[in-house]
Amino acid sequence: MARGENNVRYAQAPPTRAASVVYVTLAAQVLSLGALVIFEQARGRRLATQLAAFGGRPHGADAQAVVGAVTVFAVLMMLVAGTAIAAAAAYVTWLVRARQANDRSAPTGPVAAAWLIPGVNLIAPPLLLDQVWRGARPPNDRRPRWLALLAAWWLTWLAMLALVTVRLPLGSSSGDLTGIGLPELACATVSALLCAATVRDITRIQCSHSRAHSRGRARLRTAGTVTQLPTPPTEPTPLEQTG
């Protein structure tokens, strides 16, 4: 019975490729946000002042220099939004597959509810991730380290959300383009690194169990083949030949 349960439990391969996509999209998100912050620090306040002087609509010969900066800013904003959406999609895809690697019949509804329901999405995501970690059957001595990693990731994520929520209105009123600066970039970078660490931890545990399961099945197949080998015929003795 236990062997049958293991076959169901690890019927789906660990989401190693989905985890790699998470790493790449998180890196792209941090890089695009860093580029936006650099632009904000170098050109943002002056560009906001120039746009205010033109009433938000640059025109005339003096406004030509502003057009290029506005274009760069628009491209950077699209990159930040695009990489954020890509990172979110990659993470949700990995999380769904990680749950199904533990249990093939795991529904996808809890993942969507944990991240999309307002209020719930402030508490449920780390609890859901911890459930996936426990479902992967990690060694007992890793529990304290995992809880510290999980708490650090979620606290930095909440800190980044709080900074963006508070700073955006202040930034627009103080003459900045977005209000996003070095504190937001630092929180986003640390949160992305910790998020990648949680993904890597769960994926490695699932991969180790999958490899052990595959080796066990290979040994069983080998043992079954050895026991089923036909017995070679024996040569008749001289007495049997004379008889």
Side-chain angles (χ1 to χ4, degrees):
M1 181 66 179
R3 185 183 304 172
E5 290 177 355
N6 278 337
N7 289 337
V8 174
R9 185 182 186 86
Y10 294 103
Q12 181 167 315
T16 53
R17 183 174 298 180
S20 299
V21 176
V22 172
Y23 306 147
V24 171
T25 53
L26 285 175
Q29 183 184 17
V30 171
L31 289 175
S32 62
L33 184 61
L36 179 62
V37 170
I38 292 174
F39 181 86
E40 180 81 55
Q41 297 293 319
R43 189 75 169 84
R45 186 177 292 271
R46 184 157 56 95
L47 180 59
T49 303
Q50 290 172 329
L51 290 175
F54 288 115
R57 295 182 179 180
H59 59 277
D62 296 336
Q64 294 301 317
V66 181
V67 175
V70 171
T71 302
V72 172
F73 173 71
V75 170
L76 289 175
M77 288 296 294
M78 287 188 292
L79 284 176
V80 170
T83 54
I85 294 172
Y91 181 83
V92 169
T93 300
W94 168 82
L95 185 56
V96 169
R97 293 181 180 176
R99 280 168 50 83
Q100 292 175 348
N102 289 346
D103 182 0
R104 191 174 184 179
S105 62
T108 60
V111 176
W115 282 97
L116 297 179
I117 298 179
V120 175
N121 56 11
L122 298 178
I123 302 173
L127 300 179
L128 181 62
L129 193 62
D130 183 56
Q131 182 186 47
V132 175
W133 186 85
R134 287 184 284 108
R137 298 185 304 167
N140 293 330
D141 58 351
R142 293 190 186 181
R143 181 68 177 169
R145 175 187 174 276
W146 164 255
L147 290 177
L149 175 62
L150 184 64
W153 163 60
W154 195 243
L155 288 176
T156 54
W157 168 256
L158 292 179
M160 183 187 67
L161 289 181
L163 284 173
V164 171
T165 303
V166 171
R167 288 285 296 272
L168 276 178
L170 295 178
S172 61
S173 64
S174 61
D176 294 332
L177 291 173
T178 63
I180 298 176
L182 294 178
E184 290 79 10
L185 178 60
C187 279
T189 302
V190 174
S191 178
L193 289 173
L194 294 174
C195 179
T198 61
V199 171
R200 180 174 178 267
D201 198 359
I202 292 176
T203 305
R204 287 183 65 181
I205 294 171
Q206 291 179 335
C207 285
S208 65
H209 283 301
S210 180
R211 285 192 296 267
H213 183 62
S214 298
R215 286 194 297 267
R217 293 185 62 183
R219 283 195 296 267
L220 288 175
R221 286 195 299 266
T222 302
T225 302
V226 170
T227 56
Q228 293 172 11
L229 287 176
T231 304
T234 57
E235 294 291 335
T237 64
L239 291 176
E240 291 172 339
Q241 292 176 350
T242 57

